[in-house]
Amino acid sequence: MEKFLDRFLGYVKKNTRSDDTKAGVVIPSTPSQMEFLKDLSEELKEIGLVDVKINEKNAFLTATLPANVENAPVIGFIAHVDTADFNAENISPQIHENYDGKDIVLGDSGFVLSPQEFPNLKNYIGQTLITTDGTTLLGADDKAGVCEIVSAMEYLINNPQIKHGKIRVAFGCDEEVGVGADHFDVKDFGCDFAYTMDGSAVGELQFECFNAAEAKIDILGKSVHPGDAKNKMINALTISREIQNAMPSICVPEKTENREGFIHLIEAHGNVENASLTYIIRDHDKTLFENKKYIVKKVCEDINERYDIERVKLSMHDEYRNMADIIKKDTRSVDIATKAMEVLGIEVNKAPIRGGTDGSKISFMGLPTPNIFAGGENFHGRFEFVSVESIKKAIDVIVEIAKIAAEK
Ligand SMILES: [Zn+2]
């Protein structure tokens, strides 16, 4: 118990914030992430993993735990070392033993983590909570995942009576700025299936995410002196309004949940002469997703037909896809993880993600990669927390997955 806690606290104290402005331009986007990987690679060697190597091109550290049994599938576990776009200077984790269900004062910051605001806290009564001091995020997203994978590998090495196949681990950068898995080397990783340890509360097993696209609409108006504008001026802002009014008003994030998709206006800029609108389009269902893209296309075409020249230009591209389409073809990853959680008495939560994961990109590279809970909650801000018990459960799940996969 002590050891993985020390490991986790050591990881979170290292500032590994990624930088959106350098995402994909410099790999990794901040040097501190590479420093973290270098330290981590030494640790992996120390605990006895082999083939430890850092790929400078994609900023992934990979390593192997050799099999001690034959004919088991090769399983991968993946976590990211960077933290989200929030202060990560001098992270000072606070430990609250035997949580009593009341408000937690976060250091001297004046911020309070309260079950009134975050009712989920009530699930942690009696547990040991790790919080921030209110000035930074915690970075349990995804240092908890890193800690869990390393600790599970160490446990398997120290308990050779547990039979397992070959296990590969990978630690990457820049997940939070959306480019971390772009150059992931599936072939080099060489797994039958893998898991990202990057979910939230205990029990999460995610293998369905959105299909996602972004649509940028550029609008060209015709600016004329307003005093002399009758039948001459074409106001790009008016066209913007026409476009937005033509979009289905119930398909927006604030009116949808579960498997309902949306067409979401995220940005609008403009003046009389030029305007632009940016939408994101999301749906779990491939057909409904394509329908939504068609709606956006049709709205733009209809507007163009109404005006003298092509006033509206649409550029739309797919961002990521629902990994369920891949994972349904080979369900071993989900079946084994489900069984592992059931054996451990964990209630499995397979709710679809209303977002994406690195695993969805990796799945579409040919490696089925669902996402498992890492235990933290309230990611990406000062109210982030994780319980020691949740981290322990995630370690147990990894070990159990290794065991069950070797039984098959
Ligand atoms: Zn994460």
Side-chain angles (χ1 to χ4, degrees):
M1 189 94 161
E2 288 280 287
K3 184 147 191 206
F4 77 77
L5 179 57
D6 285 346
R7 173 173 284 142
F8 176 71
L9 297 175
Y11 291 168
V12 297
K13 283 175 192 165
K14 292 178 188 167
N15 179 351
T16 53
R17 181 178 177 170
S18 45
D19 180 355
D20 193 27
T21 65
K22 298 209 176 81
V25 183
V26 189
I27 300 173
S29 65
T30 51
S32 59
Q33 297 181 72
M34 188 51 78
E35 281 161 33
F36 187 93
L37 287 187
K38 283 183 180 154
D39 292 347
L40 188 57
S41 71
E42 292 309 315
E43 188 185 359
L44 298 184
K45 286 175 202 162
E46 262 164 46
I47 67 170
L49 293 182
V50 300
D51 299 337
V52 179
K53 77 178 180 213
I54 295 176
N55 179 337
E56 306 260 349
K57 282 190 191 136
N58 63 12
F60 269 95
L61 162 64
T62 52
T64 303
L65 175 64
N68 59 14
V69 66
E70 281 180 4
N71 297 324
V74 181
I75 308 177
F77 292 95
I78 303 167
H80 65 91
V81 304
D82 66 315
T83 61
D85 191 23
F86 195 87
N87 185 22
E89 289 284 340
N90 302 317
I91 293 176
S92 170
Q94 312 280 304
I95 298 174
H96 311 268
E97 282 178 32
N98 195 10
Y99 174 55
D100 59 6
K102 296 192 183 127
D103 286 1
I104 298 173
V105 178
L106 298 176
D108 302 324
S109 66
F111 287 97
V112 175
L113 180 61
S114 167
Q116 271 189 320
E117 211 179 338
F118 303 107
N120 288 358
L121 276 168
K122 293 277 185 194
N123 300 334
Y124 296 91
I125 292 174
Q127 299 191 18
T128 299
L129 289 185
I130 308 168
T131 69
T132 72
D133 68 355
T135 63
T136 64
L137 49 58
L138 179 61
D141 175 15
D142 188 24
K143 304 275 177 59
V146 178
C147 167
E148 288 151 8
I149 294 169
V150 176
S151 303
M153 294 307 111
E154 187 180 38
Y155 184 82
L156 289 171
I157 289 166
N158 292 338
N159 291 274
Q161 76 281 5
I162 300 174
K163 297 296 167 213
H164 59 82
K166 179 175 170 182
I167 297 175
R168 295 274 284 152
V169 300
F171 304 98
C173 300
D174 289 335
E175 190 271 351
E176 299 290 359
V177 292
V179 298
D182 283 359
H183 306 289
F184 187 75
D185 191 340
V186 164
K187 198 163 160 252
D188 178 70
F189 202 40
C191 294
D192 291 288
F193 51 87
Y195 303 92
T196 49
M197 298 299 298
D198 194 19
S200 186
V202 169
E204 278 184 4
L205 172 57
Q206 301 165 321
F207 55 96
E208 279 188 81
C209 62
F210 275 143
N211 295 290
E214 187 180 75
K216 176 124 193 286
I217 302 174
D218 288 306
I219 303 148
L220 176 67
K222 195 199 297 177
S223 186
V224 181
H225 188 286
D228 184 32
K230 190 164 183 186
N231 298 329
K232 292 182 202 153
M233 179 193 279
I234 295 174
N235 189 340
L237 296 169
T238 305
I239 298 180
S240 298
R241 196 185 64 211
E242 287 169 354
I243 292 172
Q244 173 61 3
N245 284 349
M247 296 296 177
S249 63
I250 52 166
C251 292
V252 289
E254 60 269 40
K255 292 181 185 171
T256 50
E257 60 181 354
N258 301 326
R259 280 193 177 77
E260 297 166 334
F262 52 74
I263 302 172
H264 174 32
L265 176 62
I266 57 166
E267 248 182 79
H269 297 284
N271 51 39
V272 174
E273 189 141 12
N274 288 289
S276 72
L277 299 172
T278 306
Y279 288 88
I280 58 170
I281 300 150
R282 301 286 187 262
D283 208 297
H284 291 99
D285 183 275
K286 191 91 208 323
T287 308
L288 296 177
F289 174 63
E290 293 301 331
N291 286 350
K292 288 188 172 64
K293 280 161 62 180
Y294 178 75
I295 288 171
V296 173
K297 211 172 133 233
K298 195 78 180 84
V299 165
C300 293
E301 283 172 9
D302 286 354
I303 299 264
N304 274 331
E305 268 174 34
R306 262 188 264 156
Y307 286 94
D308 51 345
I309 57 165
E310 194 183 85
R311 297 259 160 217
V312 172
K313 247 199 185 88
L314 167 68
S315 43
M316 185 154 54
H317 68 274
D318 286 351
E319 294 176 296
Y320 56 86
R321 288 153 70 189
N322 185 352
M323 59 183 159
D325 294 343
I326 297 295
I327 290 171
K328 275 174 187 159
K329 291 179 194 158
D330 176 0
T331 61
R332 282 180 297 171
S333 59
V334 173
D335 297 343
I336 291 171
T338 304
K339 195 169 166 204
M341 290 193 208
E342 284 169 0
V343 166
L344 295 165
I346 296 169
E347 199 180 319
V348 188
N349 169 12
K350 293 183 180 174
I353 321 171
R354 290 178 66 78
T357 73
D358 265 357
S360 92
K361 270 186 201 161
I362 295 169
S363 293
F364 277 93
M365 293 172 182
L367 178 64
T369 306
N371 187 35
I372 290 178
F373 70 88
E377 299 222 35
N378 299 344
F379 288 165
H380 299 187
R382 67 180 91 249
F383 298 110
E384 191 183 3
F385 70 90
V386 65
S387 84
V388 171
E389 287 80 357
S390 297
I391 295 177
K392 174 77 172 60
K393 279 196 176 133
I395 297 170
D396 291 346
V397 167
I398 296 171
V399 171
E400 201 60 41
I401 286 172
K403 267 195 225 172
I404 293 170
E407 285 165 7
K408 294 226 158 187

